[in-house]
Amino acid sequence: MSELPAPETAVQGSSPPGTPGHDLTSTTSEAICLEKAAVTYHSSRTGDVTTALAETNVTFEAGSFTALLGPTGCGKTTLLNAVAGFVELSGGQILIGQRQVVGPGPDRAVVLQQYALMPWMTASANVEMALERFHLHRAERAERARHALESVGLKNAAGKYPAEMSGGMQQRVALARAMAAEPSALLMDEPFGALDAITRIAMQRLLMTLWEHTSTTVVFVTHDVNEALDLAERILLMSPGPGRIVADLDLRSSSIRSDAVERDKLYQQILGYLLPG
Amino acid sequence: MGTLVARRSSQKESARGTASSRAVNLDAGGIHPPGKGFTLRRRLLRLARSAGQRLALVVVCLLMWELVARSGLITKALFPTPLQTWEAAKSLWRSGVVGGDLRASLGRVAVGFLIGSALGIAVGFATGVSRACNALLGPIITFLRPIPAIAVVPLSTAWFGIGQKGKYFIIAYAVVLAVWLYVHDGVARIPSVYVRVAKGYGLGRVKVLKRVLIPAAGPAIVSALRYGSSVAFLALVAAELGGAQNGIAYRLQVDSQFLQTGRIFVGLIELGVLGVSADYLIAKTGKRFVHWSTS
């Protein structure tokens, strides 16, 4: 990967702020707060109890961008799924703003590695699904979906089916769908893991543009140290057995984006955590 | 030093080469779905070739039929040639027997198939979505599945007599079991991520069913209906042999008593043609609804 700071080129197709009509900038972000949250799995076959996520206290500030970084089995996906409401806590609680998480909800949009678009719906229909909860008129719903697709550079793909699109395009639709729901939090589980290196960089830049425009709270799961360093304001390092947070790195005042030597130092430091011994 | 320069320039060349070849690829329309670029002439040629192949297949089959009929492998009087069968068909048609039988049989199949497939789809969804439903109904259906339609005929006669209701019952019985199995399996295999995502965006139960589960099960429903339609014709024969005044299978039985093998052949061909047509119709219609499916 490149050590040079990426030049600030505009992401293809990203709309400038202040697009007329209802664009993606109206998202309100909220803090996510885990209080003594823990997840254990019971195996019905062996009767074993596995601690996927040990008791965790952490707050993701409103509008922040946090990467959960760690190897397989460190509980990063479990933490994300708990916030999403896909897995039940065995203890503690999770708050979105003031509301306790009891299940999946449209205030938390999830973007997964496998896109999870409905193959029987066009790109536009996929995005419109996320707008159902606003109970809009058909025309307005279509208009908002068009805006959302435009903001990810897919103005002309509204009528395409997922099978007719590349992986990068599908993930753009998934991102447009997530942002169209105007979530308080955007939860991403290795969203660019299945993409080729070039598409991946384009998607990372697109995500940064969207995040800067919407300032939604982003929690980003990855096992790629460089990706975490490229994108996040804060990195939570996680470790397996049992899954837990082992380090909390605040990068907001760090110079890694402009100083390659600093960045490399931090890279080595992170590896030191992740590769003990 | 000189070689180093040369190598560097050749590297540049190759780099430029890849860049230009990519541009050419884009020009050639890499984004168009394959198959759109075919000219009308090439398409017509392909159509003609496949039509020719099918015609050749028919001719070969007729020839072999003729040969077997003439060989005397089976007593010639009991093995009609294609021409004799054609004559039998013509006389059956003229007397109005074929029309009446077709009407009667198709009506039975249609009603039985509609009842059976509607029930099969509904129960398939119920057992596919709900574990409790599956625990309750699954074993019952699994118990009934190996019991063939023909074994149900005596019961049907006892309950409904030899009227139309009994025929519908027998056909629907066979169809519901076939359709249920396919639909149940298809619904149970829907990736949970679709439902998760839809629920995550706030879709309620009814909308999840309408917008996610039913379309996702679409390909399985089409397969179920195709299989169900062929089962319906199998059950039709059982139903009509169990007592009827008309119908294709009833005619087969009557003709067999008089050793009219030409007419029997006509009946068998009717059944085959009807089965193939129903399957084709369902497959074609289904494709419109599940055009997004790769299978």
Side-chain angles (χ1 to χ4, degrees), chain A residues 105-106 112 117-121 132 161 177-178, chain B residues 193-194 200-201 203 207 211-212 215-216 291-292:
Chain A
L112 305 165
L117 299 176
M118 312 289 157
W120 51 89
M121 292 184 187
E132 291 265 350
Y161 287 89
R177 178 175 66 180
Chain B
V193 69
Y194 293 148
Y201 286 119
L203 270 68
K207 276 193 172 157
R211 312 279 310 274
V212 179
H291 57 87
W292 50 270

mmCIF file with all atom_site columns, all heavy atoms in Angstrom, chain A residues 105-106 112 117-121 132 161 177-178, chain B residues 193-194 200-201 203 207 211-212 215-216 291-292:
data_model
loop_
_atom_site.group_PDB
_atom_site.id
_atom_site.type_symbol
_atom_site.label_atom_id
_atom_site.label_alt_id
_atom_site.label_comp_id
_atom_site.label_asym_id
_atom_site.label_entity_id
_atom_site.label_seq_id
_atom_site.pdbx_PDB_ins_code
_atom_site.Cartn_x
_atom_site.Cartn_y
_atom_site.Cartn_z
_atom_site.occupancy
_atom_site.B_iso_or_equiv
_atom_site.pdbx_formal_charge
_atom_site.auth_seq_id
_atom_site.auth_comp_id
_atom_site.auth_asym_id
_atom_site.auth_atom_id
_atom_site.pdbx_PDB_model_num
ATOM 1   N N   . GLY A 1 105 ? -32.943 -1.994  13.968  1.00 0.00 ? 105 GLY A N   1
ATOM 2   C CA  . GLY A 1 105 ? -33.804 -0.832  13.769  1.00 0.00 ? 105 GLY A CA  1
ATOM 3   C C   . GLY A 1 105 ? -33.231 0.071   12.700  1.00 0.00 ? 105 GLY A C   1
ATOM 4   O O   . GLY A 1 105 ? -32.041 0.026   12.421  1.00 0.00 ? 105 GLY A O   1
ATOM 5   N N   . PRO A 1 106 ? -34.113 0.872   12.099  1.00 0.00 ? 106 PRO A N   1
ATOM 6   C CA  . PRO A 1 106 ? -33.678 1.714   10.985  1.00 0.00 ? 106 PRO A CA  1
ATOM 7   C C   . PRO A 1 106 ? -32.779 2.878   11.412  1.00 0.00 ? 106 PRO A C   1
ATOM 8   O O   . PRO A 1 106 ? -32.249 3.575   10.565  1.00 0.00 ? 106 PRO A O   1
ATOM 9   C CB  . PRO A 1 106 ? -35.002 2.227   10.404  1.00 0.00 ? 106 PRO A CB  1
ATOM 10  C CG  . PRO A 1 106 ? -35.984 2.072   11.495  1.00 0.00 ? 106 PRO A CG  1
ATOM 11  C CD  . PRO A 1 106 ? -35.537 0.957   12.364  1.00 0.00 ? 106 PRO A CD  1
ATOM 12  N N   . LEU A 1 112 ? -22.663 -4.687  4.820   1.00 0.00 ? 112 LEU A N   1
ATOM 13  C CA  . LEU A 1 112 ? -21.918 -5.930  5.001   1.00 0.00 ? 112 LEU A CA  1
ATOM 14  C C   . LEU A 1 112 ? -21.009 -6.196  3.815   1.00 0.00 ? 112 LEU A C   1
ATOM 15  O O   . LEU A 1 112 ? -21.173 -5.612  2.744   1.00 0.00 ? 112 LEU A O   1
ATOM 16  C CB  . LEU A 1 112 ? -22.892 -7.104  5.155   1.00 0.00 ? 112 LEU A CB  1
ATOM 17  C CG  . LEU A 1 112 ? -23.939 -6.960  6.261   1.00 0.00 ? 112 LEU A CG  1
ATOM 18  C CD1 . LEU A 1 112 ? -25.032 -7.985  6.076   1.00 0.00 ? 112 LEU A CD1 1
ATOM 19  C CD2 . LEU A 1 112 ? -23.291 -7.105  7.621   1.00 0.00 ? 112 LEU A CD2 1
ATOM 20  N N   . LEU A 1 117 ? -27.878 -6.977  -1.184  1.00 0.00 ? 117 LEU A N   1
ATOM 21  C CA  . LEU A 1 117 ? -28.934 -6.336  -1.961  1.00 0.00 ? 117 LEU A CA  1
ATOM 22  C C   . LEU A 1 117 ? -29.952 -7.395  -2.338  1.00 0.00 ? 117 LEU A C   1
ATOM 23  O O   . LEU A 1 117 ? -29.616 -8.566  -2.498  1.00 0.00 ? 117 LEU A O   1
ATOM 24  C CB  . LEU A 1 117 ? -28.355 -5.718  -3.239  1.00 0.00 ? 117 LEU A CB  1
ATOM 25  C CG  . LEU A 1 117 ? -27.308 -4.621  -3.066  1.00 0.00 ? 117 LEU A CG  1
ATOM 26  C CD1 . LEU A 1 117 ? -26.789 -4.193  -4.420  1.00 0.00 ? 117 LEU A CD1 1
ATOM 27  C CD2 . LEU A 1 117 ? -27.880 -3.442  -2.314  1.00 0.00 ? 117 LEU A CD2 1
ATOM 28  N N   . MET A 1 118 ? -31.219 -6.983  -2.494  1.00 0.00 ? 118 MET A N   1
ATOM 29  C CA  . MET A 1 118 ? -32.235 -7.928  -2.944  1.00 0.00 ? 118 MET A CA  1
ATOM 30  C C   . MET A 1 118 ? -32.084 -8.124  -4.447  1.00 0.00 ? 118 MET A C   1
ATOM 31  O O   . MET A 1 118 ? -32.253 -7.156  -5.207  1.00 0.00 ? 118 MET A O   1
ATOM 32  C CB  . MET A 1 118 ? -33.644 -7.404  -2.648  1.00 0.00 ? 118 MET A CB  1
ATOM 33  C CG  . MET A 1 118 ? -33.844 -6.881  -1.246  1.00 0.00 ? 118 MET A CG  1
ATOM 34  S SD  . MET A 1 118 ? -33.848 -8.208  -0.031  1.00 0.00 ? 118 MET A SD  1
ATOM 35  C CE  . MET A 1 118 ? -33.393 -7.318  1.454   1.00 0.00 ? 118 MET A CE  1
ATOM 36  N N   . PRO A 1 119 ? -31.750 -9.328  -4.895  1.00 0.00 ? 119 PRO A N   1
ATOM 37  C CA  . PRO A 1 119 ? -31.469 -9.513  -6.321  1.00 0.00 ? 119 PRO A CA  1
ATOM 38  C C   . PRO A 1 119 ? -32.682 -9.304  -7.225  1.00 0.00 ? 119 PRO A C   1
ATOM 39  O O   . PRO A 1 119 ? -32.529 -9.130  -8.421  1.00 0.00 ? 119 PRO A O   1
ATOM 40  C CB  . PRO A 1 119 ? -30.954 -10.957 -6.418  1.00 0.00 ? 119 PRO A CB  1
ATOM 41  C CG  . PRO A 1 119 ? -31.297 -11.603 -5.134  1.00 0.00 ? 119 PRO A CG  1
ATOM 42  C CD  . PRO A 1 119 ? -31.511 -10.537 -4.116  1.00 0.00 ? 119 PRO A CD  1
ATOM 43  N N   . TRP A 1 120 ? -33.892 -9.323  -6.631  1.00 0.00 ? 120 TRP A N   1
ATOM 44  C CA  . TRP A 1 120 ? -35.097 -9.148  -7.453  1.00 0.00 ? 120 TRP A CA  1
ATOM 45  C C   . TRP A 1 120 ? -35.520 -7.681  -7.530  1.00 0.00 ? 120 TRP A C   1
ATOM 46  O O   . TRP A 1 120 ? -36.545 -7.369  -8.094  1.00 0.00 ? 120 TRP A O   1
ATOM 47  C CB  . TRP A 1 120 ? -36.250 -9.985  -6.907  1.00 0.00 ? 120 TRP A CB  1
ATOM 48  C CG  . TRP A 1 120 ? -36.481 -9.765  -5.442  1.00 0.00 ? 120 TRP A CG  1
ATOM 49  C CD1 . TRP A 1 120 ? -37.282 -8.837  -4.867  1.00 0.00 ? 120 TRP A CD1 1
ATOM 50  C CD2 . TRP A 1 120 ? -35.870 -10.480 -4.369  1.00 0.00 ? 120 TRP A CD2 1
ATOM 51  N NE1 . TRP A 1 120 ? -37.203 -8.916  -3.508  1.00 0.00 ? 120 TRP A NE1 1
ATOM 52  C CE2 . TRP A 1 120 ? -36.344 -9.919  -3.173  1.00 0.00 ? 120 TRP A CE2 1
ATOM 53  C CE3 . TRP A 1 120 ? -34.962 -11.546 -4.306  1.00 0.00 ? 120 TRP A CE3 1
ATOM 54  C CZ2 . TRP A 1 120 ? -35.941 -10.391 -1.927  1.00 0.00 ? 120 TRP A CZ2 1
ATOM 55  C CZ3 . TRP A 1 120 ? -34.570 -12.003 -3.062  1.00 0.00 ? 120 TRP A CZ3 1
ATOM 56  C CH2 . TRP A 1 120 ? -35.055 -11.434 -1.900  1.00 0.00 ? 120 TRP A CH2 1
ATOM 57  N N   . MET A 1 121 ? -34.744 -6.808  -6.918  1.00 0.00 ? 121 MET A N   1
ATOM 58  C CA  . MET A 1 121 ? -35.080 -5.389  -6.960  1.00 0.00 ? 121 MET A CA  1
ATOM 59  C C   . MET A 1 121 ? -34.003 -4.638  -7.735  1.00 0.00 ? 121 MET A C   1
ATOM 60  O O   . MET A 1 121 ? -32.825 -4.966  -7.637  1.00 0.00 ? 121 MET A O   1
ATOM 61  C CB  . MET A 1 121 ? -35.115 -4.814  -5.539  1.00 0.00 ? 121 MET A CB  1
ATOM 62  C CG  . MET A 1 121 ? -36.240 -5.327  -4.680  1.00 0.00 ? 121 MET A CG  1
ATOM 63  S SD  . MET A 1 121 ? -36.191 -4.472  -3.091  1.00 0.00 ? 121 MET A SD  1
ATOM 64  C CE  . MET A 1 121 ? -37.435 -5.384  -2.191  1.00 0.00 ? 121 MET A CE  1
ATOM 65  N N   . GLU A 1 132 ? -38.938 3.116   3.168   1.00 0.00 ? 132 GLU A N   1
ATOM 66  C CA  . GLU A 1 132 ? -40.307 2.708   3.512   1.00 0.00 ? 132 GLU A CA  1
ATOM 67  C C   . GLU A 1 132 ? -40.782 3.367   4.800   1.00 0.00 ? 132 GLU A C   1
ATOM 68  O O   . GLU A 1 132 ? -41.936 3.770   4.923   1.00 0.00 ? 132 GLU A O   1
ATOM 69  C CB  . GLU A 1 132 ? -40.373 1.196   3.689   1.00 0.00 ? 132 GLU A CB  1
ATOM 70  C CG  . GLU A 1 132 ? -40.193 0.403   2.419   1.00 0.00 ? 132 GLU A CG  1
ATOM 71  C CD  . GLU A 1 132 ? -41.521 0.031   1.789   1.00 0.00 ? 132 GLU A CD  1
ATOM 72  O OE1 . GLU A 1 132 ? -42.553 0.228   2.450   1.00 0.00 ? 132 GLU A OE1 1
ATOM 73  O OE2 . GLU A 1 132 ? -41.511 -0.447  0.647   1.00 0.00 ? 132 GLU A OE2 1
ATOM 74  N N   . TYR A 1 161 ? -30.354 -4.300  -12.184 1.00 0.00 ? 161 TYR A N   1
ATOM 75  C CA  . TYR A 1 161 ? -30.472 -5.310  -11.147 1.00 0.00 ? 161 TYR A CA  1
ATOM 76  C C   . TYR A 1 161 ? -29.077 -5.650  -10.625 1.00 0.00 ? 161 TYR A C   1
ATOM 77  O O   . TYR A 1 161 ? -28.091 -5.513  -11.362 1.00 0.00 ? 161 TYR A O   1
ATOM 78  C CB  . TYR A 1 161 ? -31.158 -6.561  -11.699 1.00 0.00 ? 161 TYR A CB  1
ATOM 79  C CG  . TYR A 1 161 ? -32.630 -6.352  -11.911 1.00 0.00 ? 161 TYR A CG  1
ATOM 80  C CD1 . TYR A 1 161 ? -33.108 -5.869  -13.117 1.00 0.00 ? 161 TYR A CD1 1
ATOM 81  C CD2 . TYR A 1 161 ? -33.532 -6.604  -10.896 1.00 0.00 ? 161 TYR A CD2 1
ATOM 82  C CE1 . TYR A 1 161 ? -34.469 -5.635  -13.306 1.00 0.00 ? 161 TYR A CE1 1
ATOM 83  C CE2 . TYR A 1 161 ? -34.890 -6.385  -11.069 1.00 0.00 ? 161 TYR A CE2 1
ATOM 84  C CZ  . TYR A 1 161 ? -35.349 -5.902  -12.271 1.00 0.00 ? 161 TYR A CZ  1
ATOM 85  O OH  . TYR A 1 161 ? -36.685 -5.675  -12.449 1.00 0.00 ? 161 TYR A OH  1
ATOM 86  N N   . ARG A 1 177 ? -28.193 2.868   -0.055  1.00 0.00 ? 177 ARG A N   1
ATOM 87  C CA  . ARG A 1 177 ? -29.356 2.400   0.699   1.00 0.00 ? 177 ARG A CA  1
ATOM 88  C C   . ARG A 1 177 ? -29.187 2.731   2.177   1.00 0.00 ? 177 ARG A C   1
ATOM 89  O O   . ARG A 1 177 ? -30.108 3.243   2.823   1.00 0.00 ? 177 ARG A O   1
ATOM 90  C CB  . ARG A 1 177 ? -29.499 0.881   0.511   1.00 0.00 ? 177 ARG A CB  1
ATOM 91  C CG  . ARG A 1 177 ? -30.647 0.276   1.276   1.00 0.00 ? 177 ARG A CG  1
ATOM 92  C CD  . ARG A 1 177 ? -30.827 -1.190  0.976   1.00 0.00 ? 177 ARG A CD  1
ATOM 93  N NE  . ARG A 1 177 ? -29.691 -1.984  1.453   1.00 0.00 ? 177 ARG A NE  1
ATOM 94  C CZ  . ARG A 1 177 ? -29.593 -3.291  1.314   1.00 0.00 ? 177 ARG A CZ  1
ATOM 95  N NH1 . ARG A 1 177 ? -30.528 -3.953  0.670   1.00 0.00 ? 177 ARG A NH1 1
ATOM 96  N NH2 . ARG A 1 177 ? -28.552 -3.948  1.774   1.00 0.00 ? 177 ARG A NH2 1
ATOM 97  N N   . ALA A 1 178 ? -27.996 2.449   2.708   1.00 0.00 ? 178 ALA A N   1
ATOM 98  C CA  . ALA A 1 178 ? -27.748 2.697   4.127   1.00 0.00 ? 178 ALA A CA  1
ATOM 99  C C   . ALA A 1 178 ? -27.888 4.182   4.447   1.00 0.00 ? 178 ALA A C   1
ATOM 100 O O   . ALA A 1 178 ? -28.534 4.554   5.429   1.00 0.00 ? 178 ALA A O   1
ATOM 101 C CB  . ALA A 1 178 ? -26.356 2.203   4.501   1.00 0.00 ? 178 ALA A CB  1
ATOM 102 N N   . VAL B 2 193 ? -29.869 -13.188 5.654   1.00 0.00 ? 193 VAL B N   1
ATOM 103 C CA  . VAL B 2 193 ? -29.397 -11.807 5.582   1.00 0.00 ? 193 VAL B CA  1
ATOM 104 C C   . VAL B 2 193 ? -30.432 -10.908 4.914   1.00 0.00 ? 193 VAL B C   1
ATOM 105 O O   . VAL B 2 193 ? -30.586 -9.748  5.285   1.00 0.00 ? 193 VAL B O   1
ATOM 106 C CB  . VAL B 2 193 ? -28.032 -11.737 4.859   1.00 0.00 ? 193 VAL B CB  1
ATOM 107 C CG1 . VAL B 2 193 ? -28.156 -12.048 3.385   1.00 0.00 ? 193 VAL B CG1 1
ATOM 108 C CG2 . VAL B 2 193 ? -27.390 -10.371 5.036   1.00 0.00 ? 193 VAL B CG2 1
ATOM 109 N N   . TYR B 2 194 ? -31.220 -11.446 3.959   1.00 0.00 ? 194 TYR B N   1
ATOM 110 C CA  . TYR B 2 194 ? -32.254 -10.633 3.302   1.00 0.00 ? 194 TYR B CA  1
ATOM 111 C C   . TYR B 2 194 ? -33.295 -10.167 4.315   1.00 0.00 ? 194 TYR B C   1
ATOM 112 O O   . TYR B 2 194 ? -33.691 -9.008  4.337   1.00 0.00 ? 194 TYR B O   1
ATOM 113 C CB  . TYR B 2 194 ? -32.960 -11.432 2.199   1.00 0.00 ? 194 TYR B CB  1
ATOM 114 C CG  . TYR B 2 194 ? -32.098 -11.793 1.013   1.00 0.00 ? 194 TYR B CG  1
ATOM 115 C CD1 . TYR B 2 194 ? -32.316 -12.968 0.303   1.00 0.00 ? 194 TYR B CD1 1
ATOM 116 C CD2 . TYR B 2 194 ? -31.075 -10.958 0.589   1.00 0.00 ? 194 TYR B CD2 1
ATOM 117 C CE1 . TYR B 2 194 ? -31.527 -13.304 -0.786  1.00 0.00 ? 194 TYR B CE1 1
ATOM 118 C CE2 . TYR B 2 194 ? -30.283 -11.285 -0.481  1.00 0.00 ? 194 TYR B CE2 1
ATOM 119 C CZ  . TYR B 2 194 ? -30.514 -12.458 -1.175  1.00 0.00 ? 194 TYR B CZ  1
ATOM 120 O OH  . TYR B 2 194 ? -29.737 -12.787 -2.247  1.00 0.00 ? 194 TYR B OH  1
ATOM 121 N N   . GLY B 2 200 ? -34.171 -4.652  9.464   1.00 0.00 ? 200 GLY B N   1
ATOM 122 C CA  . GLY B 2 200 ? -33.316 -3.557  9.916   1.00 0.00 ? 200 GLY B CA  1
ATOM 123 C C   . GLY B 2 200 ? -33.797 -2.220  9.398   1.00 0.00 ? 200 GLY B C   1
ATOM 124 O O   . GLY B 2 200 ? -33.688 -1.204  10.084  1.00 0.00 ? 200 GLY B O   1
ATOM 125 N N   . TYR B 2 201 ? -34.334 -2.204  8.180   1.00 0.00 ? 201 TYR B N   1
ATOM 126 C CA  . TYR B 2 201 ? -34.840 -0.953  7.620   1.00 0.00 ? 201 TYR B CA  1
ATOM 127 C C   . TYR B 2 201 ? -36.289 -0.704  8.019   1.00 0.00 ? 201 TYR B C   1
ATOM 128 O O   . TYR B 2 201 ? -36.956 0.143   7.426   1.00 0.00 ? 201 TYR B O   1
ATOM 129 C CB  . TYR B 2 201 ? -34.661 -0.934  6.102   1.00 0.00 ? 201 TYR B CB  1
ATOM 130 C CG  . TYR B 2 201 ? -33.217 -0.717  5.730   1.00 0.00 ? 201 TYR B CG  1
ATOM 131 C CD1 . TYR B 2 201 ? -32.513 -1.655  5.002   1.00 0.00 ? 201 TYR B CD1 1
ATOM 132 C CD2 . TYR B 2 201 ? -32.550 0.434   6.144   1.00 0.00 ? 201 TYR B CD2 1
ATOM 133 C CE1 . TYR B 2 201 ? -31.168 -1.468  4.693   1.00 0.00 ? 201 TYR B CE1 1
ATOM 134 C CE2 . TYR B 2 201 ? -31.217 0.630   5.846   1.00 0.00 ? 201 TYR B CE2 1
ATOM 135 C CZ  . TYR B 2 201 ? -30.531 -0.315  5.119   1.00 0.00 ? 201 TYR B CZ  1
ATOM 136 O OH  . TYR B 2 201 ? -29.218 -0.120  4.837   1.00 0.00 ? 201 TYR B OH  1
ATOM 137 N N   . LEU B 2 203 ? -39.044 -2.755  7.959   1.00 0.00 ? 203 LEU B N   1
ATOM 138 C CA  . LEU B 2 203 ? -40.178 -3.388  7.296   1.00 0.00 ? 203 LEU B CA  1
ATOM 139 C C   . LEU B 2 203 ? -40.872 -4.338  8.274   1.00 0.00 ? 203 LEU B C   1
ATOM 140 O O   . LEU B 2 203 ? -40.215 -5.124  8.959   1.00 0.00 ? 203 LEU B O   1
ATOM 141 C CB  . LEU B 2 203 ? -39.720 -4.160  6.052   1.00 0.00 ? 203 LEU B CB  1
ATOM 142 C CG  . LEU B 2 203 ? -39.699 -3.370  4.741   1.00 0.00 ? 203 LEU B CG  1
ATOM 143 C CD1 . LEU B 2 203 ? -38.612 -2.313  4.776   1.00 0.00 ? 203 LEU B CD1 1
ATOM 144 C CD2 . LEU B 2 203 ? -39.470 -4.291  3.556   1.00 0.00 ? 203 LEU B CD2 1
ATOM 145 N N   . LYS B 2 207 ? -44.807 -6.789  5.119   1.00 0.00 ? 207 LYS B N   1
ATOM 146 C CA  . LYS B 2 207 ? -43.950 -6.283  4.049   1.00 0.00 ? 207 LYS B CA  1
ATOM 147 C C   . LYS B 2 207 ? -42.758 -7.206  3.806   1.00 0.00 ? 207 LYS B C   1
ATOM 148 O O   . LYS B 2 207 ? -42.329 -7.385  2.667   1.00 0.00 ? 207 LYS B O   1
ATOM 149 C CB  . LYS B 2 207 ? -43.473 -4.864  4.375   1.00 0.00 ? 207 LYS B CB  1
ATOM 150 C CG  . LYS B 2 207 ? -44.497 -3.835  3.960   1.00 0.00 ? 207 LYS B CG  1
ATOM 151 C CD  . LYS B 2 207 ? -43.950 -2.431  3.961   1.00 0.00 ? 207 LYS B CD  1
ATOM 152 C CE  . LYS B 2 207 ? -44.974 -1.481  3.357   1.00 0.00 ? 207 LYS B CE  1
ATOM 153 N NZ  . LYS B 2 207 ? -44.776 -0.106  3.785   1.00 0.00 ? 207 LYS B NZ  1
ATOM 154 N N   . ARG B 2 211 ? -42.352 -8.364  0.146   1.00 0.00 ? 211 ARG B N   1
ATOM 155 C CA  . ARG B 2 211 ? -41.233 -7.787  -0.597  1.00 0.00 ? 211 ARG B CA  1
ATOM 156 C C   . ARG B 2 211 ? -39.990 -8.661  -0.588  1.00 0.00 ? 211 ARG B C   1
ATOM 157 O O   . ARG B 2 211 ? -39.111 -8.492  -1.422  1.00 0.00 ? 211 ARG B O   1
ATOM 158 C CB  . ARG B 2 211 ? -40.870 -6.408  -0.021  1.00 0.00 ? 211 ARG B CB  1
ATOM 159 C CG  . ARG B 2 211 ? -42.034 -5.482  0.196   1.00 0.00 ? 211 ARG B CG  1
ATOM 160 C CD  . ARG B 2 211 ? -42.448 -4.800  -1.099  1.00 0.00 ? 211 ARG B CD  1
ATOM 161 N NE  . ARG B 2 211 ? -41.322 -4.206  -1.786  1.00 0.00 ? 211 ARG B NE  1
ATOM 162 C CZ  . ARG B 2 211 ? -40.849 -2.997  -1.540  1.00 0.00 ? 211 ARG B CZ  1
ATOM 163 N NH1 . ARG B 2 211 ? -41.403 -2.267  -0.627  1.00 0.00 ? 211 ARG B NH1 1
ATOM 164 N NH2 . ARG B 2 211 ? -39.824 -2.545  -2.228  1.00 0.00 ? 211 ARG B NH2 1
ATOM 165 N N   . VAL B 2 212 ? -39.873 -9.553  0.411   1.00 0.00 ? 212 VAL B N   1
ATOM 166 C CA  . VAL B 2 212 ? -38.635 -10.334 0.531   1.00 0.00 ? 212 VAL B CA  1
ATOM 167 C C   . VAL B 2 212 ? -38.876 -11.834 0.364   1.00 0.00 ? 212 VAL B C   1
ATOM 168 O O   . VAL B 2 212 ? -38.317 -12.458 -0.540  1.00 0.00 ? 212 VAL B O   1
ATOM 169 C CB  . VAL B 2 212 ? -37.942 -10.055 1.890   1.00 0.00 ? 212 VAL B CB  1
ATOM 170 C CG1 . VAL B 2 212 ? -36.666 -10.884 2.016   1.00 0.00 ? 212 VAL B CG1 1
ATOM 171 C CG2 . VAL B 2 212 ? -37.625 -8.575  2.026   1.00 0.00 ? 212 VAL B CG2 1
ATOM 172 N N   . PRO B 2 215 ? -40.706 -12.964 -3.195  1.00 0.00 ? 215 PRO B N   1
ATOM 173 C CA  . PRO B 2 215 ? -39.788 -12.906 -4.340  1.00 0.00 ? 215 PRO B CA  1
ATOM 174 C C   . PRO B 2 215 ? -38.591 -13.834 -4.191  1.00 0.00 ? 215 PRO B C   1
ATOM 175 O O   . PRO B 2 215 ? -38.188 -14.476 -5.170  1.00 0.00 ? 215 PRO B O   1
ATOM 176 C CB  . PRO B 2 215 ? -39.321 -11.447 -4.360  1.00 0.00 ? 215 PRO B CB  1
ATOM 177 C CG  . PRO B 2 215 ? -40.212 -10.699 -3.469  1.00 0.00 ? 215 PRO B CG  1
ATOM 178 C CD  . PRO B 2 215 ? -40.855 -11.650 -2.544  1.00 0.00 ? 215 PRO B CD  1
ATOM 179 N N   . ALA B 2 216 ? -38.050 -13.938 -2.985  1.00 0.00 ? 216 ALA B N   1
ATOM 180 C CA  . ALA B 2 216 ? -36.870 -14.786 -2.790  1.00 0.00 ? 216 ALA B CA  1
ATOM 181 C C   . ALA B 2 216 ? -37.207 -16.246 -3.059  1.00 0.00 ? 216 ALA B C   1
ATOM 182 O O   . ALA B 2 216 ? -36.373 -17.010 -3.541  1.00 0.00 ? 216 ALA B O   1
ATOM 183 C CB  . ALA B 2 216 ? -36.313 -14.618 -1.375  1.00 0.00 ? 216 ALA B CB  1
ATOM 184 N N   . HIS B 2 291 ? -37.000 -13.233 -13.472 1.00 0.00 ? 291 HIS B N   1
ATOM 185 C CA  . HIS B 2 291 ? -35.980 -12.923 -14.481 1.00 0.00 ? 291 HIS B CA  1
ATOM 186 C C   . HIS B 2 291 ? -34.632 -12.602 -13.859 1.00 0.00 ? 291 HIS B C   1
ATOM 187 O O   . HIS B 2 291 ? -33.600 -12.729 -14.485 1.00 0.00 ? 291 HIS B O   1
ATOM 188 C CB  . HIS B 2 291 ? -36.439 -11.725 -15.310 1.00 0.00 ? 291 HIS B CB  1
ATOM 189 C CG  . HIS B 2 291 ? -36.715 -10.508 -14.459 1.00 0.00 ? 291 HIS B CG  1
ATOM 190 N ND1 . HIS B 2 291 ? -35.729 -9.627  -14.139 1.00 0.00 ? 291 HIS B ND1 1
ATOM 191 C CD2 . HIS B 2 291 ? -37.834 -10.078 -13.834 1.00 0.00 ? 291 HIS B CD2 1
ATOM 192 C CE1 . HIS B 2 291 ? -36.240 -8.677  -13.347 1.00 0.00 ? 291 HIS B CE1 1
ATOM 193 N NE2 . HIS B 2 291 ? -37.524 -8.934  -13.154 1.00 0.00 ? 291 HIS B NE2 1
ATOM 194 N N   . TRP B 2 292 ? -34.630 -12.176 -12.591 1.00 0.00 ? 292 TRP B N   1
ATOM 195 C CA  . TRP B 2 292 ? -33.388 -11.780 -11.928 1.00 0.00 ? 292 TRP B CA  1
ATOM 196 C C   . TRP B 2 292 ? -32.573 -12.985 -11.495 1.00 0.00 ? 292 TRP B C   1
ATOM 197 O O   . TRP B 2 292 ? -31.405 -12.878 -11.179 1.00 0.00 ? 292 TRP B O   1
ATOM 198 C CB  . TRP B 2 292 ? -33.718 -10.945 -10.689 1.00 0.00 ? 292 TRP B CB  1
ATOM 199 C CG  . TRP B 2 292 ? -34.754 -11.614 -9.825  1.00 0.00 ? 292 TRP B CG  1
ATOM 200 C CD1 . TRP B 2 292 ? -36.104 -11.462 -9.905  1.00 0.00 ? 292 TRP B CD1 1
ATOM 201 C CD2 . TRP B 2 292 ? -34.530 -12.568 -8.799  1.00 0.00 ? 292 TRP B CD2 1
ATOM 202 N NE1 . TRP B 2 292 ? -36.732 -12.246 -8.983  1.00 0.00 ? 292 TRP B NE1 1
ATOM 203 C CE2 . TRP B 2 292 ? -35.789 -12.935 -8.295  1.00 0.00 ? 292 TRP B CE2 1
ATOM 204 C CE3 . TRP B 2 292 ? -33.380 -13.137 -8.247  1.00 0.00 ? 292 TRP B CE3 1
ATOM 205 C CZ2 . TRP B 2 292 ? -35.932 -13.863 -7.270  1.00 0.00 ? 292 TRP B CZ2 1
ATOM 206 C CZ3 . TRP B 2 292 ? -33.537 -14.067 -7.224  1.00 0.00 ? 292 TRP B CZ3 1
ATOM 207 C CH2 . TRP B 2 292 ? -34.801 -14.413 -6.748  1.00 0.00 ? 292 TRP B CH2 1
#
